[in-house]
């Protein structure tokens, strides 16, 4: 699982280059990728379905991105769009096309639905993460910054 | 003291850079409104959709001005968004003068692309990591790394001016053919995992995520435009994969891989 999370971090940092993220945000981006994939794996390990694990992962990612955005004065979108990549159903798209081609209708339908479901789960997770009021997050981020400046 | 027209042009420029480089609609709208309000422009109205900006100032007064721009969906450039964000924040906190903000925006618009070597390495490493994430073995990941580099190289070809969707189709077909070829050279690779790793840079993750967030913000039109774009792109990627494998099957006389 550690290797998986590290791979997610490396992959998301690489995508950061493709999307030209600001130089100071490579590490937070990589952490965002590691967090979303780690939460996803953890959710599945604890017996959650693919749908539930994706919801938890994308909600956690959204919260993390908004907190870091306040702390680093970054647009939150930088962290969200890069960190979400491990969850986006790229494999789902591939398997749907693949089973359509080999004529496995049932698997085609199953994989297509799975891809749509994980898209819906991402949507739900982002919604959940966005609903926490900005004021609370500011206060939380303010605590973190205050503690850092004391040390 | 800048005139209304100059303020509108500055705010419009900021909005245009944001929108072109993949910012969310509410960010574009908020940034423009902040700048206009900060400079005390009378009666400012801003309306933004995913591919256009409309703004007017002083509509019912003596000197009405309007700002209309068509902003086609472009490539994602997050550091430009960050730069404009910083400029508008510092302007509204009084740390930047109006003229400084204007020249800073010029600079933000032209922030450089990543170096081509860095981009290629990023394609390779991105494909490598995602191939591993989606169940590929160590050797699959290595294969995905090299195919990713070829994908990065192929992004330089404009495919004879073909539309964006045709390009996606051709690129995903291209990486699938490369994967099949790699499989012929090294039969113990896994085709599915290699192809999945290699097509990940094409997957419309940013469009999809922005589309969802815009829907939730109540920007239904822009959200649907982005989601439609993401869906069409996904279909093109799938068609490219299918097309390439069908082609190989035809050549091999119906033998499945």
């Amino acid at each position: 699982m550690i290797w998986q999370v590290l791979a997610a971090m490396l992959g998301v940092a690489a995508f950061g280059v493709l999307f030209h993220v600001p130089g100071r945000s490579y590490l937070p981006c990589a952490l965002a990728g590691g967090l979303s994939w780690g939460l996803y794996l953890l959710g599945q390990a604890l017996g959650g379905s693919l749908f539930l694990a994706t919801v938890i992962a994308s909600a956690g990612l959204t919260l993390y991105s908004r907190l870091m955005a306040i702390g680093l004065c970054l647009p939150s979108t930088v962290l969200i769009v890069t960190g979400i990549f491990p969850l986006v159903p790229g494999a789902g798209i591939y398997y749907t096309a693949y089973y359509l081609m080999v004529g496995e209708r049932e698997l085609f339908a199953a994989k297509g639905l799975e891809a749509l479901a994980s898209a819906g789960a991402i949507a739900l997770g982002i919604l959940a993460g966005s609903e926490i009021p900005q004021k609370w997050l500011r206060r939380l981020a303010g605590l973190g910054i205050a503690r850092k400046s004391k040390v | 003291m800048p005139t209304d027209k100059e303020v509108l042009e500055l705010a419009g420029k900021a909005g245009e850079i944001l929108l072109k480089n993949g910012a969310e609609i509410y960010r574009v709208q908020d940034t423009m409104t902040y700048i206009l309000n900060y400079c005390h422009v009378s009666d400012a109205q801003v309306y933004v959709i995913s591919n256009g900006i409309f703004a007017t100032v002083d509509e019912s007064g003596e000197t009405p001005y309007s700002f209309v721009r068509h902003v086609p969906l472009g490539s994602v450039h997050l550091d430009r968004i960050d730069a404009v964000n910083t400029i508008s924040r510092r302007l509204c906190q009084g740390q930047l003068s109006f003229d400084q903000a204007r020249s800073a925006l010029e600079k933000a618009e032209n922030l450089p692309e990543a170096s081509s070597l860095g981009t290629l390495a990023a394609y390779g490493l991105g494909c490598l990591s995602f191939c591993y994430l989606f169940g590929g073995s160590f050797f699959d990941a290595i294969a995905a790394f090299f195919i990713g580099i070829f994908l990065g190289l192929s992004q330089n070809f404009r495919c004879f001016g073909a539309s964006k969707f045709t390009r996606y189709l051709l690129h995903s077909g291209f990486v699938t053919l490369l994967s099949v070829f790699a499989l012929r050279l090294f039969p113990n690779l896994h085709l599915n995992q290699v192809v999945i790793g290699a097509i990940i840079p094409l997957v419309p993750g940013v469009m999809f995520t922005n589309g969802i967030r815009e829907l939730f913000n109540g920007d239904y039109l822009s959200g649907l435009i982005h989601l439609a774009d993401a869906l069409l792109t996904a279909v093109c990627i799938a068609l490219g994969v299918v097309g390439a494998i069908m082609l190989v099957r035809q050549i091999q006389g119906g033998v499945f891989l």
Side-chain angles (χ1 to χ4, degrees), chain B residues 63-80:
Chain B
T63 51
Y65 292 109
S66 66
F67 178 97
V68 178
R69 285 287 184 286
H70 173 229
V71 187
L73 298 177
S75 62
V76 180
H77 218 304
L78 295 171
D79 61 352
R80 292 182 185 159

Side-chain angles (χ1 to χ4, degrees), chain A residues 95-96 99-100 102-113:
Chain A
Y95 281 117
T96 309
Y99 287 124
L100 173 68
V102 270
E104 296 264 9
R105 287 184 151 202
E106 275 168 25
L107 280 170
F108 158 68
K111 282 291 173 187
L113 278 180

Side-chain angles (χ1 to χ4, degrees), chain A residues 4 7 19-20 24 37 94 123, chain B residues 78-79 82 129 133 192 216:
Chain A
Q4 288 262 314
F19 297 132
H20 306 94
R24 67 181 195 284
W37 191 246
Y94 170 76
Chain B
L78 295 171
D79 61 352
D82 177 49
S129 328
L133 278 193
N192 293 352
F216 289 149

Side-chain angles (χ1 to χ4, degrees), chain B:
Chain B
M1 192 65 193
T3 64
D4 279 9
K5 189 176 183 202
E6 284 171 333
V7 176
L8 182 61
E9 263 165 18
L10 180 86
K13 185 91 217 161
E16 199 182 339
I17 300 173
L18 285 176
L19 194 55
K20 195 191 282 172
N21 293 299
E24 316 93 306
I25 302 303
Y26 78 85
R27 188 181 303 282
V28 181
Q29 198 142 1
D30 287 356
T31 306
M32 290 181 68
T33 314
Y34 280 143
I35 295 178
L36 290 169
N37 287 344
Y38 172 73
C39 297
H40 304 295
V41 170
S42 50
D43 187 21
Q45 292 290 331
V46 178
Y47 178 62
V48 182
I49 58 170
S50 61
N51 54 0
I53 298 176
F54 311 82
T56 62
V57 293
D58 198 23
E59 206 177 8
S60 51
E62 290 284 303
T63 51
Y65 292 109
S66 66
F67 178 97
V68 178
R69 285 287 184 286
H70 173 229
V71 187
L73 298 177
S75 62
V76 180
H77 218 304
L78 295 171
D79 61 352
R80 292 182 185 159
I81 298 175
D82 177 49
V84 174
N85 216 37
T86 311
I87 293 167
S88 85
R89 188 175 55 241
R90 294 184 59 196
L91 177 74
C92 295
Q93 285 172 352
Q95 294 173 358
L96 275 185
S97 75
F98 188 81
D99 289 324
Q100 282 173 325
R102 192 155 46 186
S103 58
L105 271 186
E106 296 275 320
K107 232 180 269 167
E109 190 180 17
N110 297 313
L111 275 178
E113 305 280 327
S115 70
S116 48
L117 207 62
T119 309
L120 285 187
Y123 270 106
L125 288 176
C127 292
L128 175 140
S129 328
F130 281 100
C131 174
Y132 178 71
L133 278 193
F134 292 116
S137 68
F138 178 71
F139 293 107
D140 296 340
I142 300 288
F145 175 80
F146 287 109
I147 294 169
I149 287 181
F150 277 110
L151 175 64
L153 285 173
S154 76
Q155 298 289 324
N156 293 326
F157 294 110
R158 291 281 138 226
C159 301
F160 313 108
S163 76
K164 188 174 104 181
F165 295 115
T166 316
R167 280 212 306 273
Y168 272 103
L169 206 149
L170 291 175
H171 284 142
S172 79
F174 173 66
V175 294
T176 312
L177 283 180
L178 282 182
S179 310
V180 172
F181 184 66
L183 205 76
R184 299 300 292 275
L185 289 180
F186 305 101
N188 52 354
L189 293 178
H190 305 92
L191 181 70
N192 293 352
Q193 276 76 19
V194 175
V195 177
I196 290 171
I199 59 173
I200 286 284
L202 299 171
V203 170
V206 178
M207 278 294 170
F208 172 69
T209 317
N210 275 353
I212 287 172
R213 297 181 62 207
E214 270 145 23
L215 277 186
F216 289 149
N217 279 320
D219 295 314
Y220 298 115
L221 188 57
S222 305
L224 287 179
I225 290 173
H226 282 154
L227 283 183
D229 190 89
L231 190 65
L232 272 177
T233 310
V235 170
C236 286
I237 295 171
L239 285 178
V241 173
V242 171
I245 296 188
M246 293 259 238
L247 186 73
V248 174
R249 279 171 85 180
Q250 283 297 324
I251 293 171
Q252 292 185 330
V255 182
F256 195 66
L257 298 160

